[in-house]
Each structure stands twice: as structure tokens, then as C-alpha cells.
Amino acid sequence: MRIGIVCYPTFGGSGVLATELGKALAQKGHLVHFITYQQPVRLNGFIPNISYHEVQVPTYPLFDYPPYETALASTMVDVIKNNNLDLLHVHYAIPHASAAYMAKKILEQEGKNIPVITTLHGTDITLVGRDKTYAPVVAFSINQSDAITAVSNDLRDETYKIFDIEKDIKVIYNFVDVQRFNRKPIDAFKKVIAPNGERVLLHASNFRKLKRVLDVVKIFYEVQKEVPSKLLFVGDGPERQAAEELARSLGVCDEIRFVGKQEQMEDILAIADLFLLPSEYESFGLAALEAMASGVPVISTNAGGLKEINIDGETGYMANVGDVLTMSRKALDILRDNGTLDAFKKRAAVHAKKYDIANIVPLYEELYERFL
Ligand code: GMT
């Protein structure tokens, strides 16, 4: 098949998932065309069967806000026509679903039908999408898609609650390449981070308010009082400074490293003992799944789709949003002795296999085939 994929090229979960999907499809022989404004971060190196089309948004003195959506729709039309694409799969509704609708209508006039599949990822519905600035366009363009998928049951239910959606929303869970994340720790790296064999706790996100990174610091503060530990922060974003300030005021700054945005998550996860994700909401929590695939148990909230992937008492533990004390207590239950930690690690790795790339990608292919 000839497939167009539209996504955000950044470190966010929707862009990561879309890129990994495109790479997997290309490996299976499909021709994949990425359309976005920058090379996606996980699209590194040359991959046969993959083409990348950059959306150019020229500036003009009249434009206080260069019209990205118009440029995107025009690029879609161009790429679809010139590469004779069979379908367009857009990830994250805003503004990808509405730009796809526009491209579809333009091509319709020229006698070409291009099926559009929209995958909803989370904040495009629950946070940004529901805002009245965007809501009517989001609802309309989702309804105009030929197929809609959501990354968890929770996100599907939320979408029906928030918008008047007339169509079926198919749940296709996010996936992980289990083989890639099953890495041995690099000893030299582990020594730098935890020179005295301390436990390594990890958080990775875009540090937006919704991720509650201050709760990460608070949980770590409680844990390190009892079990010698270090905390690694991967990523960056608006709450980074507040997290640093809190760490300083609690006197745990020397035990915490901010390593910034990283591409080689598998190497970092390989040295971790526990992943912390105390988010206010996650439609799925792809970062937590990647942690489990690396054999790292997860302490998370029970918000949104997290309760569909983190099994309480098996792959980690869950608590209510903001319940830092329970999350700290549960983290300590996992970390205190090696036997318990190893059992959680093993169960996390086994559970992640359910979401292996080999099981999930065929579900997208089946969906695509319906439109051929
Ligand atoms: O919140 C993020 O980390 C970024 C955001 C995105 O749109 O890239 O992630 C959303 O999509 C991911 C992939 O489907 C999910 O794993 C995240 O849970 C979801 N984030 C939220 O729902 C807040």
C-alpha cells in the first residue's frame, strides 16, 4: 500500500507512535510518506520505502500567524497526487484531521477519492480539542474521517462524552518494539548515574503541568529517605524550573539529574529500576509502556488509560492523582528488596509483550485494507 502519515515530529507520544508505525509498515513492504513540518525525531537514518515531505510555511508581512493548516492541506494534495497514495493516516486531530478533510475535498473535485483515517491521541480531545476555540472544527473533522481510532478505551469513551461523534471509534492500543527495548544495561553509564549501586528512578515527559513533575520530586524525596536512590529526568518543558527549585528546597538536588531530551530511551531505561508517571491524565502513557518493555515497573496514577496498561500489584502500582504518599509507599514496597524488584521487573516485561509491535501493526493494516 502507499500510505501517507501526518504527525507532529516532536518527542510527544503521538509523533513517536506515528513514526514507529510508519517505520514498521515500511519494513513490511508498504511505501510510507511522512508529511510534517520537520523530520520526526524517531525517523533517523535512511530507511528504504520511507519518504519524507516537509511542509513549508512561507512567511509574509501580512501573516501574524502563518497558516500552517493551509500549507499542510496543500502539501497533502501534492504528495497524494504525485505519489498516488492509497490513504492518509493522520495522528492527533488538531489541525491534521481538518487539513485532511480539506485535501480530501480538493482531490474529490479532481476525481480522486482518498480515505482519511484519524487516530486520536489524548490532549487533542481531552484538553486542547475540547476548548471552544477548536471544538467545532475538531468534532466536524473527526466525523468526516473515513475511520477513527483511539489509543485506549478511556480515550474512546471520553471522545464520545465530549463530542457528538456519529461514527464508530475503533480502539487500537499503542505499541512498543519489545525486542528493541530489551537491552542490557551499559555498565559505564550506570556507574556514572548510580556510582554506589543506588536504585535509579526515572521520569520522562514534556514537563507540562498535566505531568505533575513536582509529584515526581516529592515521591523521590520520600523514597530516598529510606532506600539510597537517584532520580533521572528525561525531557524538558515548562515545569522544569519548578521541579529544580523544589528539589533544591528539599535538599535532594545532588541526587537528581536532568538529562534533557533523549533519543536513545532504550539505553536509559536499561539502567532504571522504577518509572514514575503521576500524571493528571494520560490517554495511554506510551512512556510507561516503553518502561515496562525494558523491564521497569511503573508507579502511576490511575487516570485515563493508565489503568488499562499498568496492572496494580503486578507491573507496578497505581494511586489517585496527587496521592504522593501512597505512590511513595508503593515505590518503596517495590524497591526495598531485590527479590520483589526482580519479580516486578519480570512481570512488567512479560505484560509489555501484549502490546508488541508485531501484534498491533497488523490491526492498522486490517483497517487500511477495508478502504482499498
Ligand atoms: O502528553 C504527551 O506526552 C504528549 C501527547 C501527544 O499527543 O503526543 O501524548 C498523548 O499521546 C500518547 C500516544 O498515544 C499517549 O501515550 C499519551 O498518554 C497522550 N497524552 C495525554 O493523554 C496527556
Side-chain angles (χ1 to χ4, degrees), residues 12-14 92 121 174 206 208 210-211 281-286:
S14 64
Y92 205 92
H121 278 275
N174 283 333
N206 47 25
R208 281 181 293 143
L210 168 143
K211 302 288 174 181
Y281 179 81
E282 289 293 340
S283 66
F284 184 90
L286 184 57

Side-chain angles (χ1 to χ4, degrees), residues 23-24 61 78 91 115 168 175 247 267 271 308 320 322 324 349 351 365:
K23 282 157 61 176
D78 182 65
H91 291 260
D168 182 44
F175 59 80
D267 290 334
I271 66 153
E308 292 171 54
N320 293 332
V324 168
H351 182 61
E365 286 176 294

Side-chain angles (χ1 to χ4, degrees), residues 8 10-18 91-92 119-124 126-127 150-152 155 172-174 204-208 210-211 277 279-288 305-306 309:
Y8 281 101
T10 53
F11 281 91
S14 64
V16 166
L17 194 279
H91 291 260
Y92 205 92
T119 291
L120 310 172
H121 278 275
T123 47
D124 46 351
T126 56
L127 196 71
V151 297
S152 65
L155 182 58
I172 301 184
Y173 280 128
N174 283 333
S205 78
N206 47 25
F207 291 52
R208 281 181 293 143
L210 168 143
K211 302 288 174 181
L277 195 60
S279 307
E280 202 169 302
Y281 179 81
E282 289 293 340
S283 66
F284 184 90
L286 184 57
L306 284 170
I309 62 156

Side-chain angles (χ1 to χ4, degrees), residues 100-118:
Y101 170 73
M102 175 70 97
K104 187 181 171 77
K105 285 286 159 197
I106 294 169
L107 289 164
E108 219 167 77
Q109 284 211 322
E110 298 179 18
K112 178 160 176 76
N113 173 41
I114 183 84
V116 172
I117 294 163
T118 299

Side-chain angles (χ1 to χ4, degrees), residues 4 6 76 80 86-91 96-105 107-108 113-119 141-149 167 367-368 371:
V6 181
M76 285 172 176
I80 292 165
D86 296 312
L87 60 89
L88 196 59
H89 187 173
V90 306
H91 291 260
H96 302 153
S98 44
Y101 170 73
M102 175 70 97
K104 187 181 171 77
K105 285 286 159 197
L107 289 164
E108 219 167 77
N113 173 41
I114 183 84
V116 172
I117 294 163
T118 299
T119 291
S141 51
I142 292 175
N143 272 320
Q144 294 298 320
S145 301
D146 295 281
I148 311 157
T149 75
K167 289 193 172 147
L367 181 65
Y368 297 165
F371 295 100

Side-chain angles (χ1 to χ4, degrees), residues 252-299:
V252 288
C253 225
D254 291 344
E255 319 308 324
I256 301 181
R257 290 278 276 265
F258 290 85
V259 296
K261 295 177 181 174
Q262 295 288 333
E263 279 172 38
Q264 294 308 108
M265 271 315 284
E266 56 272 42
D267 290 334
I268 297 173
L269 283 162
I271 66 153
D273 296 301
L274 192 65
F275 190 79
L276 303 177
L277 195 60
S279 307
E280 202 169 302
Y281 179 81
E282 289 293 340
S283 66
F284 184 90
L286 184 57
L289 177 62
E290 291 187 340
M292 286 184 209
S294 309
V296 180
V298 174
I299 293 288

Side-chain angles (χ1 to χ4, degrees), residues 175-210:
F175 59 80
V176 65
D177 182 348
V178 163
Q179 270 185 356
R180 172 175 154 201
F181 280 85
N182 181 14
R183 283 280 175 104
K184 290 232 163 347
I186 301 170
D187 285 340
F189 177 39
K190 175 121 195 178
K191 269 238 136 52
V192 170
I193 300 299
N196 303 307
E198 293 93 340
R199 301 287 198 215
V200 177
L201 283 69
L202 177 65
H203 171 81
S205 78
N206 47 25
F207 291 52
R208 281 181 293 143
K209 263 234 144 43
L210 168 143

